[in-house]
Amino acid sequence: MVRSGSEPMPAGRATGGTGPARMRERFLQGEPVEGGVRASIFDSWQRSRSLGLSPDQSDLPYREDFDRDGRIVRAAVPVLDRLQSTFSGSDINISVADASGTVLLRRFGKKSLARSLPAIQAVPGFVFAEQFAGTNGIGLALAERQLIRVYGAEHFAERGQGNACVALPVRDPLSGRIEGVLCFGYPRSAETPALGTVIRKAAQAMERRLLGQSSARERALLRAYLAAGAETAVGLPRGIAVDELALELRSRDRAILMEKAAELISRAQRAAVDVPLPDGRRVTLVSRPMTTASGVEGIAIEAVVPGLSPGEPLGAVPRRVDELRGVSAAPAVVSAVSGPARLSFSLPSGHLSGAAPGQVAAGGQGVHVDGAGGTTDEHPEPPPSVRGLVLVGEPQVGTYALAARRRLELLSEASTRIGTGLDVRRTAEELAETAVPRLADFVTVDLPEAVLRGEESADPLGDLRRAVVHGMRADLPFTPVGKRPDFGPTAPQLRCLTSGQAVLEPDLKTAAGWLAQDPEHTEQLLTHVHSLIAVPLLARGVVLGVASFYRAQDPAPFGDDDRSLAQELAARAALSIDNARRYTHERAMVLALQRRLLPHGLPDQDAVEVAHRYLPAENDVGGDWYDVIPLSGARVGLIVGDVVGHGMLSAATMGRLRTAARSFAELDFPPDEVLIHLDNLVGRLDREDPDGEGAGIIGATCLYVIYDPTAQRCVMARAGHPPPALVRPDGTVSYPDLPTGPPLGLGGLPFDAAEIDLPEGSQLVLYTDGLIEDRHRDVDVVLEDLRGALAHAERTPEETCQAILDTVAPAHPYDDIALLVARTHALDPGRIATWDLPADPALVGDVRASAVRRLADWGLDEAAFTAELILSELVTNAIRHGAGPIRVRLLHHRTLICEVSDTSNTAPHLRRAASTDEGGRGLFLVAQLAQTWGARYLPEGKVIWAECGLDDI
């Protein structure tokens, strides 16, 4: 069998592959290209991208243990030797790969090619499956199961851009399985339609050699089938096999037909069964008993597909009995039939008439079979239905082979379906979904609460909770999810946990231990189920729970084989559940550390109204943080940051950076200086890391904003972090164009700050990149979505936070999200008093008197004495040790804030004066009278400030 399945060459393909190259670049840039790229290539590009493959990757897996003497190798060697002779002197590269994409053989038209080509194109053993190599001939032929051509830039990886190739799967004619792929690689300029014909003939020769390796009993049954048709036939529709309906039937449909056909063989009866497919179509399977000349009895299963036009011949096949007899002379490799044999190539079926040699009737229409295997239709109307051989096999062998195949298929499916994620409950659900309906009709899974939390259970027998209930129906009276199942001491579930082995109860009506646990409940279940297997979930010596498999009334009860299968399924699921449990435990620890290191509550301040959110990544917890820091002069600092990486190290590093950032901010450094200090700290942490070896493994981004409610102005700087969003009172949303500083840890690069005026009622929205960066979304589109979510100035910060998470945040975040929303307030100008004066000691008394009067206006007469002393000391120090002009400011806030500024950068220093000193007690007196005091620097000069608590006055 060979199916042509060739696709038309792309209309835009230019010499040298510029057409595909253009389309490929557009695809990689995210532009739509469906209309200009062949469907199979486009689908493969999408799969390659979804697998995370990079076009510039060059390495492929290499297998040293590939089978150098397997069936496909023995069938291919003589064919490849002839091909090498045919293409002698050309630049063609001939390869044969197995069904996993591993190249087994290579031949070259020019021997020099083996020396000039890179090892990946010249040495057997490299794996070209699509999931490793991206779009290429071998991988795509395996994925599409048909003849494939790939031209130049249609290859996903850069390494294949200079080549074109044509590839075709090679199938075992009896089993229908793809045994390998034959591939021709050549320069793009050497493309010729003749290569398609050559590769088809070569694949057919390899398939005939595979047929020669088949069992003599299988070949005898096949000859008997053909001979029966040759002796009694009256009509011959063109045959079509189930595997050849790939474009018409999905893989699930084909699996349904193959399983039903194997079942018909095991029954050993003449029958016609109408098989419904999930899409509503129906295919009739006809079983036909036969006996070979040597007495081998078997069953042939034919498929009748109504209303399907057969099209062109699907490949050169043995159409005469004498052709097959020639095959039978080949030595048999398999000495016994291992199961029903599947035929995936077109075979004649129906009955031959008395037509002349080479002339047969197809549904009453003449079809001529010429010597080359081609056909000429005298009447172009397609027949109403087509028929083809699907399976041929022996019933006795088929009965056991069917059961064995089903078990192997279920275990194979379990390896791919169970453990796809790292969620304990979801993994248990995958176990149940895999087992229903292939093994059981209903499955329940009970896990200890500790396991669901990621811990080991101290009492798994008493801590069980129903985690999963799954089955053919949803109305059975099983204990619901979340409830504690009431297992009695002799229940099969507890017995299996105690013994560590699966417990089989073929007939629950006679299972005393099961009946005794809850007579009323079990009586209800007995009207729906009749057989049970209870299997412990054990992995690495840890008891993880119990899985219960139930069968309903109609199917046969469970047997020992079913118990073994259930135990194997449970063992595989238990390993996946334990992996998920361990991951859950580690994630819970990292998340607990992360949350512990984040602010537990926001400080009291009146400059902004704040709301915040922290959303951990779905898989790995990162190192995002936020903070709100009260500063002197009624100001407030807002900060968000993101440590590179995930896990415990990132969370611990985040805690250190957040503590350092808060300390630098409380020293009243401006935003750009805070970032400089953090940059130095990250570089030092990286150098001190014992495992880093100076490789720069630690990095972070940060955005720091200081808002001053007295001036309604904010100063901000960022280090590799996304800029904030600003929402003005009229609903206008903007992203300020801040200077882009480098990420923290690079060292030696400057940071610049920017000032922005904000009217009262504006909102500042700070966030980490997890909110806007997602592999499935464009950043610009997300920023527009964020703009739309913020264009509601009337919302409170809490409402804004929730709206952002509901409309902008990804449903399954790949990175942490830290969000900080602050609505600005302004300090009433009537609560601000300012005096400017020259550096003249004689004016100190005037300032004190003016301050006392203003405090009286504010109703703070009791604070006048303390404020008068503080101002006297601060103004006197500014005149004596600073430089004019001098500004005095009083702020009536939560506290009374006294500020004195001058243009000198001389820092004040608190010291204790000796008993013999005549001065030096000014700042000591200020420190005793004030609640707190300090200094902050301006672009020119400094501010000395002190706060007096109003509650204590």
Side-chain angles (χ1 to χ4, degrees):
M1 176 284 310
V2 177
R3 179 177 58 183
S4 63
S6 59
E7 297 180 71
M9 293 167 58
R13 185 170 69 87
T15 302
T18 58
R22 250 192 334 268
M23 292 300 179
R24 177 176 169 279
E25 291 305 316
R26 287 178 54 189
F27 170 81
L28 293 175
Q29 294 170 10
E31 298 179 18
V33 297
E34 294 90 334
V37 179
R38 292 185 291 149
S40 60
I41 300 297
F42 180 73
D43 292 343
S44 180
W45 284 356
Q46 288 186 313
R47 291 192 297 267
S48 301
R49 176 62 65 86
S50 68
L51 291 169
L53 299 180
S54 173
D56 57 358
Q57 68 183 37
S58 58
D59 294 332
L60 285 182
Y62 178 78
R63 293 180 50 193
E64 294 182 349
D65 60 340
F66 64 91
D67 190 355
R68 303 174 185 272
D69 192 33
R71 296 184 68 227
I72 188 66
V73 173
R74 295 196 303 272
V77 167
V79 179
L80 262 62
D81 290 341
R82 290 196 298 270
L83 288 173
Q84 185 176 27
S85 175
T86 301
F87 292 105
S88 177
S90 69
D91 291 330
I92 198 163
N93 180 346
I94 309 165
S95 58
V96 170
D98 63 15
S100 67
T102 303
V103 174
L104 308 176
L105 296 169
R106 284 197 179 275
R107 297 289 190 274
F108 305 93
K110 289 180 180 178
K111 294 183 179 181
S112 59
L113 286 177
R115 297 186 297 271
S116 61
L117 290 175
I120 202 171
Q121 296 180 16
V123 179
F126 287 97
V127 182
F128 282 80
E130 191 179 67
Q131 62 265 34
F132 303 114
T135 307
N136 70 93
I138 293 174
L140 193 51
L142 288 172
E144 296 289 332
R145 303 173 63 85
Q146 62 177 330
L147 186 141
I148 286 296
R149 289 184 173 90
V150 183
Y151 305 105
E154 288 181 335
H155 289 85
F156 189 82
E158 299 288 350
R159 60 173 174 269
Q161 299 298 296
N163 302 317
C165 63
V166 56
L168 183 66
V170 178
R171 288 179 168 86
D172 184 331
L174 286 177
S175 71
R177 293 187 302 268
I178 292 179
E179 292 288 340
V181 176
L182 176 62
C183 181
F184 294 169
Y186 47 89
R188 288 173 293 180
S189 59
E191 168 65 20
T192 171
L195 288 177
T197 302
V198 175
I199 198 170
R200 288 190 186 95
K201 291 183 177 180
Q204 291 163 16
M206 293 170 61
E207 290 171 349
R208 284 194 295 270
R209 291 184 59 82
L210 287 172
L211 183 63
Q213 300 177 27
S214 302
S215 161
R217 296 171 68 93
E218 292 172 343
R219 296 198 307 275
L221 285 173
L222 182 58
R223 284 198 303 273
Y225 170 79
L226 294 177
E231 294 168 2
T232 62
V234 294
L236 179 62
R238 262 180 292 180
I240 186 166
V242 173
D243 267 11
E244 293 315 311
L245 298 177
L247 300 179
E248 296 291 334
L249 298 177
R250 292 172 299 182
S251 58
R252 179 59 181 161
D253 300 334
R254 297 196 298 275
I256 292 172
L257 293 178
M258 296 307 302
E259 183 171 353
K260 190 64 178 178
E263 181 180 338
L264 290 174
I265 288 179
S266 66
R267 292 179 181 177
Q269 296 176 348
R270 184 185 296 274
V273 178
D274 199 21
V275 182
L277 300 179
D279 61 2
R281 289 185 295 173
R282 311 181 82 84
V283 175
T284 301
L285 294 182
V286 179
S287 62
R288 178 179 300 171
M290 66 185 65
T291 303
T292 68
S294 59
V296 177
E297 295 184 352
I299 300 290
I301 306 297
E302 296 175 322
V304 179
V305 184
L308 178 66
S309 176
E312 293 298 321
L314 299 173
V317 298
R319 294 184 175 275
R320 298 187 304 275
V321 178
D322 56 350
E323 285 186 61
L324 193 64
R325 288 181 181 140
V327 173
S328 64
V333 177
V334 183
S335 60
V337 179
S338 59
R342 184 173 69 181
L343 283 157
S344 291
F345 52 87
S346 304
L347 287 174
S349 58
H351 304 281
L352 291 173
S353 66
Q359 189 77 22
V360 296
Q365 303 167 17
V367 179
H368 176 69
V369 183
D370 59 30
T375 63
T376 304
D377 290 345
E378 298 179 1
H379 301 279
E381 295 83 0
S385 64
V386 290
R387 171 182 298 208
L389 182 62
V390 179
L391 284 177
V392 60
E394 298 178 66
Q396 295 81 6
V397 178
T399 300
Y400 296 102
L402 176 63
R405 183 170 62 84
R406 286 178 174 175
R407 283 166 170 73
L408 289 174
E409 287 175 352
L410 182 56
L411 291 175
S412 176
E413 184 177 341
S415 66
T416 59
R417 290 188 59 181
I418 300 176
T420 59
L422 289 171
D423 180 81
V424 173
R425 192 182 301 272
R426 179 56 194 151
T427 304
E429 291 173 350
E430 290 170 344
L431 166 62
E433 293 168 357
T434 303
V436 175
R438 306 276 289 278
L439 173 62
D441 297 308
F442 302 93
V443 175
T444 63
V445 180
D446 304 303
L447 304 174
E449 285 187 342
V451 171
L452 292 171
R453 295 193 303 268
E455 305 168 3
E456 292 187 18
S457 177
D459 182 21
L461 300 181
D463 192 26
L464 289 176
R465 294 281 179 177
R466 182 58 47 87
V468 176
V469 177
H470 182 72
M472 305 295 291
R473 293 165 49 191
D475 57 347
L476 266 64
F478 288 109
T479 302
V481 172
K483 300 294 184 180
R484 185 186 298 275
D486 188 13
F487 295 135
T490 58
Q493 286 83 356
L494 293 190
R495 282 190 284 137
C496 80
L497 286 176
T498 303
S499 65
Q501 299 294 323
V503 173
L504 169 64
E505 294 289 358
D507 187 358
L508 290 175
K509 292 181 180 180
T510 62
W514 189 77
L515 292 170
Q517 57 182 325
D518 186 354
E520 182 178 353
H521 181 234
T522 54
E523 185 68 27
Q524 295 176 357
L525 274 178
L526 279 177
T527 62
H528 303 284
V529 299
H530 67 84
S531 190
L532 164 68
I533 301 175
V535 188
L537 297 173
L538 304 173
R540 303 181 179 100
V542 178
V543 177
L544 302 172
V546 59
S548 302
F549 301 86
Y550 295 89
R551 273 191 180 165
Q553 293 293 343
D554 292 335
F558 287 121
D560 290 333
D561 289 343
D562 297 312
R563 176 172 55 184
S564 300
L565 178 59
Q567 190 152 348
E568 178 67 22
L569 281 178
R572 297 190 182 199
L575 284 174
S576 297
I577 291 175
D578 192 47
N579 290 337
R581 180 192 65 82
R582 290 166 176 252
Y583 168 77
T584 301
H585 179 67
E586 181 178 346
R587 185 177 187 275
M589 290 194 301
V590 175
L591 186 57
L593 175 62
Q594 175 87 349
R595 294 192 184 280
R596 186 68 181 171
L597 295 175
L598 288 172
H600 289 265
L602 298 180
D604 292 333
Q605 46 81 36
D606 295 327
V608 291
E609 177 188 355
V610 179
H612 58 88
R613 295 287 190 278
Y614 170 72
L615 186 64
E618 193 170 73
N619 292 325
D620 296 322
V621 179
D624 291 16
W625 90 91
Y626 61 88
D627 210 345
V628 178
I629 309 167
L631 302 175
S632 64
R635 299 170 307 141
V636 65
L638 307 172
I639 190 168
V640 293
D642 182 4
V643 175
V644 174
H646 299 85
M648 192 71 72
L649 175 61
S650 295
T653 304
M654 178 276 292
R656 301 173 73 175
L657 287 185
R658 176 181 169 253
T659 301
R662 190 177 187 91
S663 300
F664 294 144
E666 289 177 341
L667 290 174
D668 268 327
F669 291 137
D672 51 337
E673 290 191 28
V674 168
L675 295 183
I676 290 174
H677 288 294
L678 288 176
D679 182 55
N680 294 333
L681 173 63
V682 172
R684 186 166 64 253
L685 292 176
D686 202 7
R687 291 190 297 272
E688 294 174 355
D689 180 62
D691 300 323
E693 299 180 355
I697 63 169
I698 299 177
T701 66
C702 184
L703 170 64
Y704 182 38
V705 179
I706 296 178
Y707 173 69
D708 187 352
T710 64
Q712 300 179 43
R713 177 178 301 129
C714 66
V715 182
M716 58 184 73
R718 61 178 176 141
H721 202 86
L726 303 182
V727 186
R728 300 190 180 272
D730 60 357
T732 304
V733 181
S734 62
Y735 300 100
D737 186 15
L738 300 182
T740 304
L744 301 176
L746 296 183
L749 299 175
F751 299 95
D752 296 320
E755 292 189 3
I756 299 176
D757 293 324
L758 286 178
E760 184 177 9
S762 300
Q763 285 192 5
L764 275 165
V765 181
L766 287 70
Y767 50 88
T768 53
D769 57 4
L771 178 66
I772 61 173
E773 293 183 3
D774 182 47
R775 65 184 69 177
H776 302 301
R777 303 187 299 172
D778 184 81
V779 173
D780 294 334
V781 175
V782 177
L783 289 176
E784 284 304 312
D785 293 341
L786 179 60
R787 188 190 300 273
L790 295 177
H792 299 275
E794 73 282 358
R795 287 176 175 164
T796 65
E798 282 289 340
E799 293 171 340
T800 300
C801 275
Q802 195 58 46
I804 292 173
L805 294 183
D806 291 342
T807 60
V808 181
H812 304 284
Y814 290 93
D815 195 5
D816 288 14
I817 297 175
L819 181 62
L820 194 63
V821 179
R823 185 191 296 278
T824 62
H825 297 300
L827 187 61
D828 185 358
R831 289 175 169 251
I832 304 174
T834 305
W835 299 275
D836 293 317
L837 62 154
D840 185 355
L843 299 179
V844 175
D846 295 339
V847 172
R848 293 166 55 186
S850 298
V852 170
R853 288 194 298 272
R854 180 55 62 92
L855 292 177
D857 295 339
W858 289 344
L860 302 177
D861 298 277
E862 296 182 1
F865 177 74
T866 303
E868 192 175 3
L869 289 177
I870 291 175
L871 285 176
S872 178
E873 292 296 335
L874 294 182
V875 172
T876 301
N877 281 344
I879 293 174
R880 293 181 61 185
H881 304 293
I886 296 171
R887 168 168 286 191
V888 178
R889 189 171 72 160
L890 291 180
L891 303 178
H892 182 194
H893 192 48
R894 289 174 176 264
T895 60
L896 178 63
I897 303 173
C898 305
E899 295 183 345
V900 176
S901 61
D902 64 81
T903 58
S904 170
N905 290 324
T906 303
H909 177 60
L910 175 64
R911 65 181 180 88
R912 292 182 179 271
S915 58
T916 57
D917 290 343
E918 295 183 359
R921 296 178 176 83
L923 286 180
F924 180 77
L925 179 62
V926 170
Q928 296 299 311
L929 295 173
Q931 191 177 65
T932 182
W933 74 280
R936 68 176 181 269
Y937 289 92
L938 304 173
E940 296 182 359
K942 65 180 180 297
V943 176
I944 310 299
W945 54 270
E947 292 188 11
C948 300
L950 300 180
D951 295 337
D952 300 331
I953 296 176

